[in-house]
Amino acid sequence: MKHLLTSTSAIALGVVMVTPASAQEWDMKWGGYHSSHVAYATVDSNTVAHTGADFDGVDVYTEAEIEFTPSVTLDNGMTFGVNVQMESTNNGGGATGIDETYMTISSDTLGKIDLGNENSAGYKMMVSAPQIDGSIWINSPSISGFIPISVSAGGNLPWNFRQSAISAYTEVLGNNDVARISYYTPSFNGLTLGISYAASDNIIGTGANAGNNFGVNRNAGVTDIFDIAVAYSGSFGGFDVDAAARWGTAENNTGLAGTDDPETWGLGASFGYNGFAFGGSYSENDNGGLLPDEEGWALGITYDLEGPWKFGIDTYQGEYSGTGAASGDKAEFEAYQIIGNRELGEGVSWAIYAVYAEGSVNGNAGGTFAPGTANTEVEGTLIGTSINLTF
């Protein structure tokens, strides 16, 4: 597969190099989004980390990015561009606040190449349950903004970033925005193929979020990450169909006994008709003993009324299974959401929602969790509203 990717990329870049072109003016685009949530949460927890804690009350949560996307289209039809995404809050992205940064090379006949720190083709092409703008995204770790489910929120629940126990949008071993090359074919009657390669991950390997590798030792860590995905989008007699399948793997060069190459895979589809959209997904992370295995599924339905209102109901269900010394560890995540969103104007909407989320652990003293944290649980209910800007 490595040879195939290298050959494909070389051909594509060769087409760019041999076709003469004259410089044109750059289109200096920028944009982004900013969603501000205000919600009241009630939380019950028996984890050791939450002893004596009180998480009930009103809080504010923000999801926001500024995106810079300048591009230029040459006389030969080739478009070159840059995508730099800057987090608007200090707890996102890397230390500099830069989330993703990569070059794009595209044309109608070539397709598109991404070069730089970006998610894989499998991640970007995945299809899951339809979502309503302005939600708290229960199909991601964002729920911990109000209900402390994850370890990063001070809990004992082992949800790992970009993995299937908490999100349909996974990566091999949870790598995120590493230095990567991806190629996407043009659409053939609605069918698109994507393939990605990254030299190193940023969990056990030497990579860094939105940073260069500075040399990769293929005899250490986790290297040579491949992802492949296929997606279809089309319409038949008033029915809209979106579907995707993806698979990814990497080479395990850690030398750790009892470990193997990590993998991730997923399937998803969404169907639309007469204002309704219904869909879901299933995904797995088989982490080869380097991290616990995870799996999860999503299901949702939305309805777009004639006028400014949209409504939706969705759920996400995930499971974590420890390996090795943690083989007795089990954890489960479930979340449910009902939401309504009203368009107020161009790029402005207002949403109201209710969420229930629960994370539970059945651990053992010799496993992942600290002694005394076996059979712990965090559950919470959330009533919230958000103003959402897209520009």
Side-chain angles (χ1 to χ4, degrees), residues 321-333:
S321 300
T323 59
S327 59
D329 289 346
K330 299 288 183 181
E332 294 181 349
F333 169 74

Side-chain angles (χ1 to χ4, degrees), residues 264-275:
T264 187
W265 66 273
L267 300 167
S270 180
F271 306 91
Y273 180 74
N274 200 26

Side-chain angles (χ1 to χ4, degrees), residues 151-184:
V151 173
S152 60
N156 294 110
L157 306 182
W159 313 121
N160 297 310
F161 195 55
R162 299 277 188 251
Q163 298 221 24
S164 53
I166 201 168
S167 178
Y169 303 99
T170 67
E171 295 282 18
V172 176
L173 211 64
N175 78 87
N176 182 51
D177 298 339
V178 297
R180 192 185 324 261
I181 178 171
S182 298
Y183 172 68
Y184 303 86

Side-chain angles (χ1 to χ4, degrees), residues 126-131 139 168-169 267-270 278-282 297-299 316:
M126 184 64 179
V127 174
S128 188
Q131 298 279 298
N139 193 342
Y169 303 99
L267 300 167
S270 180
F278 173 79
S281 63
Y282 177 83
W297 59 270
L299 200 63
Y316 196 84

Side-chain angles (χ1 to χ4, degrees), residues 128-148:
S128 188
Q131 298 279 298
I132 296 290
D133 289 343
S135 73
I136 195 62
W137 301 109
I138 63 172
N139 193 342
S140 82
S142 296
I143 189 65
S144 285
F146 290 101
I147 303 171

Side-chain angles (χ1 to χ4, degrees), residues 37-39 41 43 59-61 136 142-148 353 382:
H37 298 254
V38 180
V43 178
D59 200 0
V60 175
Y61 178 78
I136 195 62
S142 296
I143 189 65
S144 285
F146 290 101
I147 303 171
Y353 54 84
L382 191 66

Side-chain angles (χ1 to χ4, degrees), residues 200-220:
S200 176
D201 80 304
N202 65 350
I203 303 298
I204 293 179
T206 58
N209 184 58
N212 289 312
N213 288 328
F214 298 105
V216 174
N217 179 4
R218 265 69 175 193
N219 292 325

